[in-house]
Amino acid sequence: LPSTPRGGWDHDARQTRSGFGGNETAEEQEDVVDLRWDAMGRDPKIRNILDEAQLDIPKENPREKQKQLDRARRNKKTKATGYEKTMKREIDAYNETMRERLQAIGVTDATEEQFRDTLHPGEAVVDALLKYHTHCQGLGKLYAFSQDDD
């Protein structure tokens, strides 16, 4: 049997997970990040921010969505749900922010830039950031923002 390491069996694992080892593998470094993220999630200030953010996330009203689907099945004109209207406003605001950022880095036709028409925020972000980074690359700007920018 191997001898017990000084400080106990957990000592080496704690030392590596906390980033003190210096020779961590990529997997161990990911563990360090995960542990820090978990610790931040238990921080009362951050926990409050995350809890409040959950209240701000728009939710689809199942009854309203079902009504919309029923109208569509009967080949009647459908109206956007409250959720869809909210997401459209949020995504349009985000796209406008990205359009302003494109102008800030020197894209001349940023006002004509067409962003993906979607109600899914993740798709909108991927589309806008892809356009942004493509323009940055085309302009030869590796660091489009300085440290003083937002």
Side-chain angles (χ1 to χ4, degrees):
L1 289 175
S3 62
T4 303
R6 197 168 22 136
W9 287 106
D10 277 348
H11 177 72
D12 288 340
R14 281 192 313 268
Q15 198 173 29
T16 302
R17 274 188 251 130
S18 64
F20 296 129
N23 299 339
E24 295 93 359
T25 65
E27 187 175 309
E28 289 171 331
Q29 289 174 357
E30 286 177 22
D31 289 344
V32 170
V33 170
D34 289 342
L35 287 170
R36 289 181 181 163
W37 178 256
D38 288 343
M40 288 177 65
R42 287 188 289 272
D43 180 329
K45 282 172 45 178
I46 294 177
R47 183 83 261 148
N48 288 340
I49 292 169
L50 293 174
D51 288 343
E52 288 174 14
Q54 286 293 320
L55 301 175
D56 293 339
I57 297 173
K59 306 262 189 302
E60 183 77 79
N61 179 338
R63 199 176 287 167
E64 187 180 18
K65 186 65 177 178
Q66 187 59 50
K67 187 176 177 182
Q68 182 190 50
L69 293 172
D70 290 342
R71 287 184 63 81
R73 274 191 219 115
R74 288 181 268 148
N75 295 324
K76 293 187 176 182
K77 186 176 179 181
T78 59
K79 298 183 229 174
T81 64
Y83 171 81
E84 292 169 342
K85 291 175 187 174
T86 300
M87 293 311 298
K88 175 113 177 82
R89 277 192 312 270
E90 292 288 330
I91 290 170
D92 286 347
Y94 174 76
N95 287 340
E96 190 56 38
T97 299
M98 291 306 293
R99 190 170 279 111
E100 291 168 5
R101 290 191 179 229
L102 288 171
Q103 289 173 330
I105 63 170
V107 175
T108 55
D109 59 347
T111 55
E112 287 88 37
E113 190 70 51
Q114 295 295 313
F115 293 101
R116 186 175 186 168
D117 187 22
T118 181
L119 294 176
H120 301 282
E123 291 176 8
V125 169
V126 168
D127 177 60
L129 286 176
L130 180 61
K131 289 180 188 309
Y132 179 81
H133 288 294
T134 301
H135 282 295
C136 284
Q137 187 177 19
L139 294 168
K141 294 190 176 195
L142 300 178
Y143 302 100
F145 293 98
S146 67
Q147 288 181 345
D148 296 336
D149 293 332
D150 289 332

